[in-house]
């Protein structure tokens, strides 16, 4: 629509009038409501926290500090549920419980990280990224500190699982949103570097947890880890909102507020296809790292060598994620990021299928190398592709809804693999099931993107063409007119507009 840039400029500051154009008073005779509504659509219904209209992503500057904060937050969020597992034997001994009981701590942590996505979206859209992350850092620390005084496993579920998990979730999602706002051209590389925080922190937190347990016991270890989680608040302080330079002396009007959780993303076929594919992928994505050590022990490999397989996987993952982000950022590659993500998913699933044929330690080492490469590619691309599909305005709501759908798959995937193992006592079947699920997700994404998005129905194209305004239509609208329209007739657009008292 060729007239939209004109609307946007006029709506922002009222400065985009052509030479000699007469300045019309608000709602002058002959002015149509339809023109005002077009202006509002052109201004974009960004989230409350979006910042000034028309701000350009700096792709550097303070963005590197934001990237550092996102690196740390991603590391804590993904590595912490795995790192606390080093305390499980001590908890089993003290509380007289089984391994399955302690494993629920990590499961609840992951469920809170994924399942509270919509809640995080609402909080970010209402209060902004920095306040939500500060509150999340305090909650994460409070949960671990409180856990050090617990006297039962149920209390640990509540403190370490629910409170710390909610705190990490309130940090993880806003950090990705801020990264999306600070980077545009370099966004794939930034996503890859931020995603590398997961394997780096996993390699660091697991030995640290073992060291803390040996010297201070599990209670002292939880207390110190709670203090470390206060660094999330430091990362939150780095999330400085973007500010646009003031054009002249007349500040432009604020963007119109939108609903706190934008469910309109489900009207986007690209988002629906991505959400379905990602949910299927998560069913099998996390299964091999859970069972590969036990698989090696079942083949007669010593415990130390079996545990070293995860170290190999994590080391490869550290380099795979930034590399995948850099490659995706290339000009000739970035337009095809969805297909590259589909290839990464297929590569990961195919690695699972071939890994099921491993019969000795050397075969499992080769499997972990290729799994680390494909797993790193998936980790670096998954949120970059989502950003590319829904855009900046709807990303805060889209990621919350996707994480909620993935939470269900996270709770189904590994337990289903465990039930299959209990029924058959054959690890190869577990890897075959995981590989089949991930390969299926890759086909869902690539075929859905090709047939449903790449080739849009003729009727949809004709409808879009029908709704285009005439090229010579004068749809420039004064900024005061838009502001008056928002205040006087908020229901004309079909939704209630938040007032300054209810929106930040």
């Amino acid at each position: 629509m060729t007239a939209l840039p004109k609307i946007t400029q006029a709506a922002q500051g009222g400065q985009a009038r052509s030479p000699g154009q007469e300045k019309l008073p608000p709602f002058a005779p002959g002015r149509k409501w339809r023109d005002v509504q077009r202006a509002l659509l052109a201004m974009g219904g960004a989230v409350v926290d979006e910042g000034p209209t028309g701000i350009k992503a700096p792709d550097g500057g303070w963005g590197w500090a934001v990237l550092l904060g996102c690196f740390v937050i991603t590391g804590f969020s993904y590595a912490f549920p795995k790192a606390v597992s080093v305390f499980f034997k001590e908890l089993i001994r003290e509380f007289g419980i089984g391994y399955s009981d302690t494993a629920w701590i990590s499961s609840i942590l992951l469920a809170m990280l994924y399942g509270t996505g919509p809640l995080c979206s609402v909080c970010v859209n209402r209060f902004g990224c920095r306040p939500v992350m500060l509150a999340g850092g305090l909650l994460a620390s409070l949960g671990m500190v409180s856990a050090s005084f617990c006297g039962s496993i149920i209390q640990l579920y509540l403190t370490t699982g629910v409170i710390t998990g909610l705190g990490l979730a309130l940090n993880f999602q806003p950090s990705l949103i801020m990264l999306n706002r600070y980077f545009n051209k370099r966004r794939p590389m930034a996503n890859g570097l931020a995603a590398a925080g997961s394997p780096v922190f996993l390699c660091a937190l697991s030995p640290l947890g073992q060291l803390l347990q040996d010297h201070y016991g599990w209670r002292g270890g939880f207390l110190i880890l709670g203090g470390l989680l206060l660094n999330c608040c430091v990362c939150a302080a780095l999330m400085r909102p973007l500010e646009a330079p003031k054009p002249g002396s007349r500040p432009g009007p604020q963007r119109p507020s939108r609903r706190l959780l934008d469910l309109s993303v489900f009207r986007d076929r690209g988002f629906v296809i991505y959400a379905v594919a990602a949910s299927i992928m998560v069913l099998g994505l996390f299964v091999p790292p859970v069972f590969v050590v036990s698989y090696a022990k079942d083949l007669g490999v010593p415990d130390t060598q079996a545990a070293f397989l995860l170290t190999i996987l994590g080391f490869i993952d550290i380099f795979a994620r930034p590399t995948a982000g850099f490659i995706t950022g290339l000009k000739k590659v970035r337009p095809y990021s969805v297909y590259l993500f589909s290839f990464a998913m297929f590569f990961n699933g195919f690695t699972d299928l071939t890994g099921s044929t491993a019969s000795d330690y050397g075969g499992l080492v080769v499997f972990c190398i290729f799994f680390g490469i494909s797993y790193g590619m998936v980790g670096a691309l998954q949120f970059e592709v989502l950003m590319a599909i829904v855009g900046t305005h709807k990303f805060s709501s889209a990621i919350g809804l996707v994480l909620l759908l993935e939470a269900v798959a996270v709770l189904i995937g590994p337990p289903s693999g465990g039930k299959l193992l209990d029924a058959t006592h054959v690890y190869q079947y577990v890897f075959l099931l995981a590989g089949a699920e991930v390969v299926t997700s890759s086909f869902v994404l690539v075929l859905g993107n090709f047939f449903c998005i790449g080739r849009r129905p003729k009727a949809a194209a004709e409808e879009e063409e029908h709704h285009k305004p005439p090229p010579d239509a004068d749809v420039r609208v004064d900024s005061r007119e838009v502001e008056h329209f928002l205040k006087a007739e908020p229901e004309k657009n079909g939704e209630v507009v938040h007032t300054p008292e209810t929106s930040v």
Side-chain angles (χ1 to χ4, degrees):
M1 298 174 65
T2 56
L4 289 184
K6 297 180 181 178
I7 301 172
T8 305
Q9 294 173 2
Q12 287 177 5
Q15 305 293 330
R17 302 182 182 87
S18 59
Q21 181 182 351
E22 184 178 0
K23 184 177 181 181
L24 295 177
F27 302 113
R31 184 75 77 180
K32 298 180 179 180
W33 283 104
R34 181 175 56 193
D35 299 339
V36 181
Q37 291 172 347
R38 272 191 208 137
L40 296 177
L41 291 174
M43 291 168 66
V47 294
V48 176
D49 175 68
E50 189 68 7
T53 306
I55 184 66
K56 183 181 179 181
D59 276 306
W62 189 257
W64 299 117
V66 173
L67 174 58
L68 175 62
C70 192
F71 175 88
V72 175
I73 294 298
T74 303
F76 275 127
S77 300
Y78 277 115
F80 208 81
K82 304 179 184 71
V84 295
S85 62
V86 300
F87 298 96
F88 285 175
K89 287 187 177 180
E90 194 72 20
L91 295 176
I92 291 172
R93 185 180 302 110
E94 177 158 342
F95 295 121
I97 55 179
Y99 183 83
S100 60
D101 297 319
T102 57
W104 272 103
I105 297 176
S106 296
S107 298
I108 295 174
L109 268 170
L110 284 173
M112 293 299 296
L113 180 63
Y114 283 89
T116 56
L119 174 63
C120 297
S121 296
V122 170
C123 292
V124 168
N125 293 345
R126 176 63 179 86
F127 301 106
C129 290
R130 181 187 280 177
V132 172
M133 292 181 66
L134 286 170
L138 292 175
L139 274 177
S141 177
L142 176 64
M144 291 303 295
V145 172
S146 301
S148 65
F149 299 98
C150 288
S152 68
I153 190 64
I154 301 298
Q155 295 174 356
L156 284 175
Y157 292 160
L158 178 62
T159 54
T160 305
V162 176
I163 299 179
T164 299
L166 178 60
L168 292 175
L170 292 175
N171 273 272
F172 175 63
Q173 186 172 321
S175 68
L176 290 178
I177 294 172
M178 289 300 297
L179 190 69
N180 180 41
R181 293 176 186 170
Y182 268 88
F183 289 92
N184 183 22
K185 294 181 179 180
R186 297 176 177 175
R187 192 179 65 202
M189 181 188 67
N191 272 303
L193 291 173
S198 174
V200 170
F201 270 63
L202 180 60
C203 294
L205 286 180
S206 295
L208 176 62
Q210 188 65 52
L211 183 66
L212 293 176
Q213 178 179 277
D214 294 341
H215 285 78
Y216 305 105
W218 73 267
R219 295 185 184 274
F222 276 28
L223 185 64
I224 295 174
L225 289 177
L228 286 178
L229 285 176
L230 285 175
N231 286 289
C232 294
C233 296
V234 179
C235 297
L238 297 175
M239 304 298 165
R240 186 171 65 192
L242 287 171
E243 295 182 0
K246 296 181 179 180
S249 58
R250 290 181 57 189
Q254 295 293 325
R255 264 199 180 106
S257 303
R258 76 180 305 167
R259 56 178 65 93
L260 295 180
L261 185 61
D262 191 355
L263 298 179
S264 66
V265 292
F266 285 106
R267 301 175 187 171
D268 186 341
R269 285 176 294 180
F271 171 77
V272 173
I273 292 170
Y274 175 91
V276 172
S279 300
I280 298 174
M281 176 190 70
V282 171
L283 285 173
L285 183 64
F286 301 118
V287 171
V290 173
F291 291 98
V292 66
V293 175
S294 300
Y295 186 12
K297 293 179 180 179
D298 188 64
L299 294 176
V301 177
D303 292 355
T304 54
Q305 292 185 8
F308 188 68
L309 290 172
L310 289 180
T311 304
I312 296 173
L313 193 155
F315 181 78
I316 298 297
D317 192 10
I318 291 175
F319 297 97
R321 296 190 182 217
T323 304
F326 176 78
I327 293 174
T328 308
L330 299 176
K331 291 183 179 180
K332 294 184 179 180
V333 179
R334 192 172 184 183
Y336 305 98
S337 59
V338 175
Y339 296 103
L340 183 61
F341 183 44
S342 301
F343 169 75
M345 296 161 67
F346 178 83
F347 185 18
N348 184 269
F350 184 76
T351 302
D352 295 342
L353 296 176
T354 55
S356 64
T357 63
S359 58
D360 54 16
Y361 184 72
L364 289 178
V365 169
V366 174
F367 163 77
C368 287
I369 292 174
F370 283 97
F371 185 88
I373 296 173
S374 59
Y375 188 76
M377 293 175 63
V378 170
L381 293 173
Q382 56 178 341
F383 296 119
E384 163 61 26
V385 171
L386 179 60
M387 292 175 187
I389 290 175
V390 301
T392 303
H393 301 334
K394 295 185 179 182
F395 179 70
S396 60
S397 296
I399 187 177
L401 295 170
V402 167
L403 289 177
L404 176 61
L405 295 175
E406 290 183 352
V408 180
V410 165
L411 293 177
I412 295 176
S416 64
K419 287 188 176 181
L420 179 62
L421 181 63
D422 292 337
T424 62
H425 301 285
V426 179
Y427 282 93
Q428 286 85 345
Y429 293 159
V430 176
F431 281 69
L432 287 173
L433 175 63
E437 290 166 343
V438 179
V439 168
T440 301
S441 67
S442 69
F443 284 118
V444 169
L445 182 61
V446 70
L447 294 178
N449 185 76
F450 182 76
F451 288 106
C452 298
I453 302 175
R455 297 181 177 182
R456 296 186 304 164
K458 183 179 180 181
E462 291 178 352
E463 181 180 358
E464 180 179 342
E465 186 69 24
H466 176 72
H467 284 87
K468 282 187 178 182
D472 56 344
D474 183 13
V475 291
R476 291 183 292 271
V477 181
D478 187 81
S479 61
R480 293 177 300 169
E481 182 177 356
V482 175
E483 184 178 1
H484 179 75
F485 172 74
L486 288 173
K487 293 180 179 179
E489 300 285 346
E491 291 82 9
K492 287 284 185 179
N493 282 335
E495 62 178 353
V496 177
V497 178
H498 301 289
T499 63
E501 288 76 19
T502 60
S503 299
V504 175

